[in-house]
Amino acid sequence: MAKLKWGMIGGGEGSQIGPAHRLGALADGQFELAAGALDHRADVGREYAQRLGITADRAYGDWQEMLASEKGRDDRIDLVTVATPNSTHFEITKSFLEAGFNVLCEKPMTMTVEEGEEIVKIAEATGKICAVNYCYSAYPMVRQARAMVQNGELGKVRVVVTNFSHGHHGDATDADNPRVRWRYDPAMAGVSGQFADCGIHALHMASFIANDEVKTLSADFASTIASRELEDDAMVNFRMEGGTVGRLWTSSVAIGRQHGFEIQVFGETAGLKWASEQPNQLIYTPVGGRTQIIEKGEGGLHADAQRLSRVAIAHPEGFPLAVANIYCDLADAIRGEVREGLPNAADGVRSMAAVHTAVASAKDGGVWMDARPSIFR
């Protein structure tokens, strides 16, 4: 089977997320890195692209040059990944979708709900894939948890408790570090800081595993370091369309926590727990029974968990392979196979609607508000 051609915008040398995308996209031999506009500095981006093996004629200075060239090629790319600053996601994603390209966009997909709804409509009109990199949903044991819920192994889901809390921005003396400061600057990050950065991963995970969507929420935001305009700690209570109650905490000042992303799902007949720092294990407790550890790679797992397990039981799998699983599902989808778990533009706009609703709720003393984008009400 011929490799699919892949292009990348952003994610240049020194990028935090760029290497994970390159490792993930190339892990299974389904994609080849054929084009790129990797840096806002044209010469730097071109030089780095060529060091990665991209030919000089497809090592672009910016995304506009890349779009103009690629759409006229007979061997145009099959997929473009957008890994640029948040404020640029909408324009780039929209432009490539309208030109007939499949897109994988980093989260958040857009800065506003209206932009997100427009992306959903464009993807539907063009018939092209617009995926969003909620890559934690592609860990094998997260897929196992989702399948167990869908299979009725927990009964009706009553409560979801999730958090994504770390302490890496907790040092007030480092608050002016440019790699940190932009995350709390509305001009660069948008209306929300920590919730839009990490909290929406936890919120998406709650919807993904519970197989339900957030309907209403109530939020409390705090900027614990005085120089920050945007929140570095947030508590969000939510209720889902199927009646599930949700609790979400996200923080960047939880000193002592490293990654801190975990989720617990409590149903009528059992409970589940998954943590990103121990991603190969799913903790399962049936009502009245003993707690069990379900291991990645063991026999009897649901099909999606088996399919996305890369190495033998007891061998660790990490973040780049979760990203690789997103690219596996994308390759299948580009070739016409339905991959139901692939996060898409609808997930992207639901997240952005939740962000804006949480901001409004926090400003209004935590009042409960409808968190759904208008196109899904």
Side-chain angles (χ1 to χ4, degrees), residues 88-153:
T88 66
H89 288 179
F90 170 69
E91 182 182 11
I92 300 172
T93 298
K94 176 178 183 290
S95 298
F96 274 84
L97 283 174
E98 289 178 332
F101 292 92
N102 299 302
V103 178
L104 171 61
C105 185
E106 265 300 329
K107 44 63 60 179
M109 184 178 74
T110 60
M111 297 282 277
T112 71
V113 180
E114 293 76 16
E115 289 174 348
E117 291 180 336
E118 187 173 350
I119 292 296
V120 170
K121 293 173 183 176
I122 292 169
E124 290 176 348
T126 61
K128 292 300 174 181
I129 296 165
C130 181
V132 182
N133 192 35
Y134 289 117
C135 56
Y136 297 99
S137 66
Y139 275 100
M141 300 316 291
V142 171
R143 295 292 179 95
Q144 173 71 12
R146 176 179 168 91
M148 291 176 73
V149 168
Q150 290 179 326
N151 200 44
E153 296 172 50

Side-chain angles (χ1 to χ4, degrees), residues 10-88:
E13 191 167 20
S15 163
Q16 182 177 350
I17 198 64
H21 277 283
R22 286 186 285 275
L23 288 167
L26 305 178
D28 297 281
Q30 299 206 65
F31 290 95
E32 61 175 305
L33 181 56
L38 304 180
D39 199 291
H40 68 280
R41 298 162 296 179
D43 291 343
V44 172
R46 289 192 183 100
E47 190 273 333
Y48 186 54
Q50 290 177 73
R51 274 196 278 134
L52 293 176
I54 296 173
T55 58
D57 63 320
R58 301 180 87 170
Y60 300 108
D62 57 45
W63 70 265
Q64 292 95 337
E65 180 188 0
M66 180 170 165
L67 176 60
S69 176
E70 288 296 318
K71 68 182 180 181
R73 295 181 68 108
D74 293 334
D75 61 345
R76 60 191 282 171
I77 53 176
D78 299 289
L79 173 72
V80 61
T81 292
V82 179
T84 55
N86 297 355
S87 60
T88 66

Side-chain angles (χ1 to χ4, degrees), residues 219-263:
D220 179 43
F221 283 9
S223 299
T224 67
I225 293 179
S227 62
R228 292 174 176 166
E229 289 188 61
L230 299 177
E231 85 289 349
D232 52 23
D233 188 278
M235 180 67 73
V236 179
N237 294 312
F238 58 92
R239 294 182 181 268
M240 306 183 94
E241 291 178 347
T244 297
V245 174
R247 315 293 187 203
L248 185 157
W249 172 50
T250 186
S251 181
S252 63
V253 294
I255 296 172
R257 293 179 69 97
Q258 296 303 316
H259 195 257
F261 184 16
E262 62 186 26
I263 185 167

Side-chain angles (χ1 to χ4, degrees), residues 256-288:
R257 293 179 69 97
Q258 296 303 316
H259 195 257
F261 184 16
E262 62 186 26
I263 185 167
Q264 292 179 274
V265 182
F266 305 105
E268 295 172 322
T269 60
L272 289 174
K273 180 180 179 180
W274 179 85
S276 66
E277 293 178 28
Q278 294 84 36
N280 294 338
Q281 297 181 334
L282 187 63
I283 311 302
Y284 171 69
T285 308
V287 63

